[in-house]
């Protein structure tokens, strides 16, 4: 009986140990699994600069943070900023100049001042290049010609004006027409509706491959520049802080993953899957440009505050009515990014 009792005691102890181990395993699994936070809608312009979002989805970084991200395209900044003001989506990947413009009531869409707009994360310099028709080889060749922009008073129009002015061309020396986002401007350029515009990858690469001329990159001319950011409404951010922090964490993780050389082949495949019209050769060229260690995506998706000052200086110079803008923190709230990086 004592033997049986001893055996039962050992069995009970073993069962307790197994139960404790199972409990520890379940606790660890629970700790690793993020609670579901829900959906986030993100409005984007078409282009390779959406690569971090594509990678975050493909590699499960969004899911690991407990969010489901739904990308939706836009045809231009007027449509995008109107949609953001109406709450048609949660986050806009857009030029920070758009956010500055609408906060200041200088946006092209008739929606008035939008003090609720705010940038919450950096991404890149926008990779802007001045691209022109095959017969346009220099800045001087643009004199008297018609160029295209997304909108005259927001986005990258001021970058274009300043690049040309630094090379001796005043706004009275050429004509500017609005043509929408980069896809729309690329279509117009091919149809010879205009002779030049600013492009980001892959459109500048696609244009070069078809005989168009890349005259200069914006950062070579202007220096530090903050281009694309994640922007939202302050009210939405305050009510959805866990979601927003999760989005930033996953985006940062995706940029880290893209920069890892061992992930080159898979990164190319992700880009090809999400941009079906892109060839493997174009994808490889895009990789070299967007993931250049010096000029590619900003590491850790950090905001370039010196680049914001460049944006503010351009807007102070070219926007009407004239305002002197100098405080980057009026348009950028770092609290969510700082939380995500902890």
């Amino acid at each position: 009986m004592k033997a049986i009792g001893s055996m039962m005691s050992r069995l009970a102890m073993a069962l307790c140990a197994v139960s404790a181990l199972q409990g520890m395993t379940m606790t660890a699994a629970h700790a690793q699994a993020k609670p579901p936070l829900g959906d986030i809608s993100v409005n984007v312009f078409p282009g390779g600069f959406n690569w971090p979002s594509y990678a975050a989805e493909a590699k499960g970084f969004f899911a690991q943070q407990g969010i489901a991200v739904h990308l939706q395209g836009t045809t231009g900044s007027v449509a995008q900023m109107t949609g953001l003001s109406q709450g048609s989506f949660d986050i806009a990947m857009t030029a920070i100049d758009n956010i500055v413009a609408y906060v200041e009531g200088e946006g092209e869409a008739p929606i008035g001042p939008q003090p609720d707009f705010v940038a919450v994360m950096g991404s890149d310099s926008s990779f802007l290049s001045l691209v022109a028709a095959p017969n346009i080889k220099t800045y001087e060749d643009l004199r008297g010609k018609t160029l295209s922009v997304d909108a005259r008073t927001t986005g990258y129009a001021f970058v274009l004006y300043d690049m040309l002015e630094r090379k001796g061309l005043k706004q009275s020396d050429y004509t500017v027409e609005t043509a929408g986002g980069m896809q729309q401007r690329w279509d117009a350029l091919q149809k010879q509706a205009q002779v030049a515009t600013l492009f980001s990858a892959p459109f500048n690469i696609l244009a070069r491959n078809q005989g168009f001329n890349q005259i200069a990159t914006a950062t070579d001319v202007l220096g530090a520049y903050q281009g694309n950011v994640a922007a939202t409404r302050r009210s939405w951010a305050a009510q959805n802080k866990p979601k927003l922090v999760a989005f930033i964490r996953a985006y940062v993780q995706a940029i880290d993953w893209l920069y890892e050389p061992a992930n080159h082949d898979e990164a190319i495949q992700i880009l090809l899957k999400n941009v079906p019209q892109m060839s493997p050769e174009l994808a490889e060229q895009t990789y070299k440009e967007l993931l250049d260690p010096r000029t590619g995506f900003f590491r850790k998706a950090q905001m370039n505050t010196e680049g914001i000052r460049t944006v503010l200086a351009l807007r102070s110079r070219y926007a009407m009515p004239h305002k002197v803008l100098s405080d980057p923190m009026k348009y950028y709230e770092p609290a969510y990014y700082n939380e995500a990086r902890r």
Side-chain angles (χ1 to χ4, degrees):
M1 292 293 294
K2 289 183 179 180
I4 294 175
S6 177
M7 181 177 69
M8 293 296 291
S9 177
R10 290 196 298 271
L11 179 59
M13 291 175 63
L15 289 173
C16 286
V18 171
S19 178
L21 181 60
Q22 289 177 334
M24 291 171 61
T25 302
M26 291 177 65
T27 300
H30 180 72
Q32 292 175 3
K34 299 287 184 180
L37 298 174
D39 296 346
I40 297 180
S41 52
V42 181
N43 190 270
V44 301
F45 286 86
F49 41 77
N50 295 310
W51 211 345
S53 292
Y54 299 151
E57 176 63 28
K59 298 303 297 179
F61 301 149
F62 287 141
Q64 289 169 19
Q65 293 297 328
I67 55 175
V69 172
H70 306 282
L71 299 183
Q72 54 180 249
T74 186
T75 57
S77 62
V78 170
Q80 187 183 59
M81 293 298 100
T82 300
L84 183 60
S85 71
Q86 296 171 344
S88 301
F89 43 84
D90 303 320
I91 294 173
M93 296 302 296
T94 192
I96 195 172
D97 182 77
N98 287 326
I99 302 307
V100 175
Y102 284 90
V103 168
E104 296 297 334
E106 298 174 346
E108 196 145 326
I111 57 176
Q114 297 293 320
D116 205 28
F117 285 6
V118 66
V120 294
M121 178 191 75
S123 178
D124 53 72
S125 67
S126 289
F127 313 105
L128 296 171
S129 297
L130 176 59
V131 176
N135 63 316
I136 304 294
K137 302 183 185 302
T138 67
Y139 283 96
E140 188 59 31
D141 290 341
L142 294 171
R143 191 178 297 276
K145 302 298 194 301
T146 300
L147 293 71
S148 68
V149 295
D150 173 18
R152 287 186 177 86
T153 61
T154 59
Y156 306 127
F158 299 154
V159 172
L160 178 63
Y161 302 158
D162 204 57
M163 289 179 71
L164 297 182
E165 186 166 330
R166 287 172 185 242
K167 299 300 181 180
L169 294 177
K170 299 178 181 179
Q171 291 185 54
S172 58
D173 293 328
Y174 54 89
T175 302
V176 170
E177 293 182 351
T178 58
M182 290 191 192
Q183 180 63 62
Q184 289 74 23
R185 300 204 302 278
W186 172 229
D187 292 341
L189 197 62
Q190 292 178 93
K191 295 174 183 176
Q192 301 180 0
Q194 298 92 29
V195 302
T197 191
L198 288 178
F199 280 146
S200 297
F203 293 100
N204 63 317
I205 301 171
L206 186 63
R208 290 200 310 260
N209 291 348
Q210 295 190 27
F212 291 78
N213 294 313
Q214 181 168 307
I215 296 177
T217 65
T219 52
D220 283 345
V221 178
L222 305 182
Y225 187 81
Q226 177 62 61
N228 291 312
V229 298
T232 186
R233 290 169 290 120
R234 293 180 185 273
S235 53
W236 182 89
Q239 296 167 9
N240 295 273
K241 180 178 178 180
K243 279 187 181 182
L244 182 52
V245 169
F247 175 82
I248 295 171
R249 280 180 179 151
Y251 196 95
V252 170
Q253 189 176 3
I255 287 181
D256 287 346
W257 184 87
L258 285 170
Y259 267 114
E260 179 57 51
N263 299 326
H264 168 275
D265 292 351
E266 189 175 1
I268 291 290
Q269 290 305 311
I270 289 172
L271 187 62
L272 290 172
K273 179 181 178 181
N274 285 278
V275 188
Q277 65 269 34
M278 183 177 287
S279 67
E281 294 76 18
L282 183 58
E284 185 63 41
Q285 291 174 294
T286 301
Y287 183 96
K288 292 178 180 177
E289 186 160 321
L290 300 192
L291 293 167
D292 183 292
R294 185 179 64 88
T295 60
F297 289 111
F298 294 162
R299 297 283 187 165
K300 305 297 181 183
Q302 288 184 324
M303 190 73 78
N304 185 336
T305 53
E306 190 61 32
I308 300 177
R309 289 189 177 92
T310 300
V311 171
L312 298 181
L314 292 176
R315 178 155 289 279
S316 298
R317 183 172 187 176
Y318 293 104
M320 295 294 290
H322 287 299
K323 293 183 182 180
V324 177
L325 309 177
S326 60
D327 181 12
M329 306 315 291
K330 182 178 180 180
Y331 318 98
Y332 170 46
E333 174 49 69
Y336 303 101
Y337 180 84
N338 292 340
E339 177 72 18
R341 297 293 298 129
R342 287 176 186 162

